[in-house]
Amino acid sequence: MSYLRNPSFEAPDIAPWTRMNQAAAVQYKIWGTSDARSGGAVLVMSTSQMEGSVCQDFTATGPPPSISCFAWVRSASQSPVKGSLAIWDLGANRSVAARFTATPEWRLVTCTMDTAGSGLRQIRVEFYLRTINHELWVDSVNAF
């Protein structure tokens, strides 16, 4: 079961997803579309500054001492969109990231991180954009 809430963006409220890095430059919304990877909605995000991001924080409990995340991404247009999917262990202040180039076809992106300890861990899943002024669609994000 995923640690994330609203992982497929089916709830009308975008929370608990939030803008993080370059927050003022990031636009994001839930958008209903028949082109969603699953369900009927996607997260649409764009940025006017490099490395703008959208994230969700959660508390991981118990073993195993690792977190894996996967997400489906695609460009909203014919232009490729470069970005990364990152996992942060906030307590240890470290991260790992998987870079991707999204095209008009849905693409699976995965990332795994060994975390510090096996008790409660504060974790962040974050999407960064390196292509400015182009929309990225995200769907079916899971962290476990």
Side-chain angles (χ1 to χ4, degrees):
M1 184 163 137
S2 181
Y3 284 113
L4 299 172
R5 293 181 295 149
N6 200 14
S8 291
F9 309 100
E10 299 301 315
D13 186 5
I14 195 120
W17 295 95
T18 188
R19 294 177 282 204
M20 183 55 62
N21 197 48
Q22 306 287 1
V26 175
Q27 292 76 46
Y28 73 134
K29 64 183 177 185
I30 292 177
W31 187 55
T33 176
S34 61
D35 291 329
R37 172 72 184 162
S38 67
V42 296
L43 168 70
V44 178
M45 64 178 288
S46 64
T47 185
S48 59
Q49 299 214 0
M50 289 284 287
E51 301 297 324
S53 72
V54 171
C55 73
Q56 184 177 145
D57 294 352
F58 60 89
T59 302
T61 57
S66 67
I67 298 290
S68 293
C69 184
F70 67 85
W72 290 91
V73 298
R74 67 172 273 189
S75 172
S77 69
Q78 294 298 316
S79 299
V81 177
K82 294 185 180 208
S84 58
L85 167 60
I87 302 171
W88 284 88
D89 182 339
L90 297 173
N93 194 30
R94 63 185 191 87
S95 67
V96 296
R99 291 186 173 214
F100 61 81
T101 300
T103 66
E105 301 296 321
W106 285 108
R107 176 179 178 206
L108 182 64
V109 180
T110 63
C111 189
T112 299
M113 172 185 227
D114 290 330
T115 57
S118 60
L120 295 177
R121 299 173 311 272
Q122 294 301 119
I123 305 295
R124 173 174 293 150
V125 169
E126 192 163 9
F127 292 92
Y128 291 89
L129 289 178
R130 293 190 338 266
T131 301
I132 61 170
N133 300 322
H134 286 280
E135 290 184 343
L136 176 72
W137 287 11
V138 181
D139 202 2
S140 302
V141 184
N142 284 284
F144 50 93

